[in-house]
Amino acid sequence: MDGQSNLSQWIHIRPITLDDFENVLAWSKDDSFCEANGWEINRSSEELYKWWRNCVNHPAEDFIRMGITLNGKLIGYADMACMKGNTAELGIAIGESRLWGQGIGSASAKCMMEYASKKLGISIFNAETHEANARSRKMLENLGFKEISRIGSEEYQGMRSERIQYRLIFNGEA
């Protein structure tokens, strides 16, 4: 791939499946991924499988999780949470930390927002990240999200970090 602008042709979202579990298990062995996404380190594969099976088979009414693929390989997931009317909270998790910082999260977020806009009627996207998560903050700001508040704090990668809330009113083109 030669540049972030071309990533959108290689990134796609699709429904998650039980067959994705091998990838999920691999992500669970990446401490950087686990720490960044609030996953328990050294989680048993049985417990992880139960969680993944529940994600696939029992979606919530106000939540959708889609798989993110790069060249057909599952590399992460994108969420629409707290869906109500035309509003939802966007979440992105790239499972392979070696892929971080290459624009894949941004391309994935655009893809998910386009999907949510067209298929779910979402036009107002909220997002939240930690002040210490510079990559996530930069991604959201580059996508056009605006900081709307700083409410709460929690541990992020071993340190206390303020939570920053963002919003984007989506016009159908990211």
Side-chain angles (χ1 to χ4, degrees), residues 13 64-68 76-80 90-93 108-109 112:
I13 59 168
I64 185 171
R65 173 164 287 159
M66 301 289 283
I68 300 168
Y77 56 85
D79 296 337
M80 283 289 119
L90 172 68
I92 299 289
S108 300
M112 186 62 167

Side-chain angles (χ1 to χ4, degrees), residues 89-132:
E89 183 174 332
L90 172 68
I92 299 289
I94 303 302
E96 299 182 31
S97 61
R98 67 178 182 80
L99 297 174
W100 295 355
Q102 299 179 32
I104 292 169
S106 294
S108 300
K110 287 178 188 177
C111 193
M112 186 62 167
M113 288 189 301
E114 288 167 2
Y115 172 85
S117 174
K118 290 175 186 165
K119 302 286 186 184
L120 306 172
I122 305 296
S123 58
I124 300 172
F125 292 91
N126 295 315
E128 182 176 272
T129 194
H130 298 92
E131 182 177 35

Side-chain angles (χ1 to χ4, degrees), residues 79-92 109 112-113 116 122-129 136 139-140 143-149 164-170:
D79 296 337
M80 283 289 119
C82 305
M83 295 187 304
K84 187 172 184 178
N86 67 338
T87 303
E89 183 174 332
L90 172 68
I92 299 289
M112 186 62 167
M113 288 189 301
I122 305 296
S123 58
I124 300 172
F125 292 91
N126 295 315
E128 182 176 272
T129 194
S136 181
M139 177 193 78
L140 291 169
L143 288 168
F145 279 82
K146 302 293 182 211
E147 182 178 327
I148 58 168
S149 59
I164 305 172
Q165 294 76 36
Y166 291 87
R167 179 164 291 149
L168 171 70
I169 299 177
F170 190 70

Side-chain angles (χ1 to χ4, degrees), residues 9-27:
Q9 66 185 339
W10 307 108
I11 299 283
H12 299 283
I13 59 168
R14 61 156 174 80
I16 56 172
T17 69
L18 285 177
D19 291 338
D20 295 327
F21 182 68
E22 277 187 39
N23 297 90
V24 174
L25 185 60
W27 305 338

Side-chain angles (χ1 to χ4, degrees), residues 44-60:
S44 78
S45 60
E46 294 80 15
E47 184 184 330
L48 189 65
Y49 182 77
K50 285 179 190 173
W51 171 77
W52 189 251
R53 185 180 64 211
N54 191 57
C55 288
V56 171
N57 293 329
H58 303 288

